[in-house]
Amino acid sequence: MRWGLGVAVAVGVALGAVTAEAHPHVWITAKSEVLYAPDGTVTGVRHAWTFDDMFSTYALQGIEARTKGAYSREELAPLAQTNVESLKEFGFFTFARADGSKEKFLEPVDYFLDYQDSLLTLHFTLPVKVPFKARQLTLDVFDRAFFIDFKFADQDPIKLVGAPADCKLQFQRPNDGTASAQKLGEQNFAGGDGANYGAMFANKITVDCP
């Protein structure tokens, strides 16, 4: 099941669909920040993921609000907790390399959901397991199975927070391969090379620090 039953309960049973077809079922508009310590080490990544309107509406079923049509962070707190607890199974949809070596993340911290303009946005920070310095940091954000489509915001999609002045940021959006994805049969999509089809739709963040 996609993104686990925990998140299915939290942000909609839609993510609990069994065999995914070769196209996304959930759309996320993302913004991310790469976090640095004063000494120039990378300490983590902060994400803000806004879910599409249909998914946001579904996720809110059964959640009571004091004010109709408005939800506070406190009212959404159990939902946020279930979200982040289920991310680990999928590598937090965030894959990092420092000078070519894989880096690992700890459990999300500082997480919360907010509700604005009928959309839910999940905010959370991924601390790196061991803070590090790197001449080149690469971050890929995507769903390996392409059940979730991550599209970064048009304005200010990526920021460096506290990075050394000589660090340079590059951001590459995925090519539009939706038509090709839809041609894949469910059998090819569910196993073999198709199981990592989502890599073709990875958002690629590169930070070079000479």
Side-chain angles (χ1 to χ4, degrees), residues 7 25 29 39 47 77 82 98 128 137-138 148 168 184-186 206:
V7 171
H25 291 65
T29 301
D39 65 353
H47 287 309
T82 308
V128 296
L137 167 67
T138 60
I148 303 169
K168 304 298 182 184
L184 286 181
E186 290 186 4
T206 304

Side-chain angles (χ1 to χ4, degrees), residues 174-185:
N175 293 324
D176 183 9
T178 304
S180 297
Q182 290 175 342
K183 294 179 182 178
L184 286 181

Side-chain angles (χ1 to χ4, degrees), residues 1 4 8-9 18 25 29 33-34 40 43-44 60 76 87 100 106 108 121 128 146 153 167 172 208:
M1 290 191 174
V9 171
V18 279
H25 291 65
T29 301
E33 297 176 338
V34 184
T43 61
L60 291 168
L76 294 173
L87 287 171
L106 300 175
T121 300
V128 296
F146 199 45
C167 290
Q172 180 182 348
D208 291 301

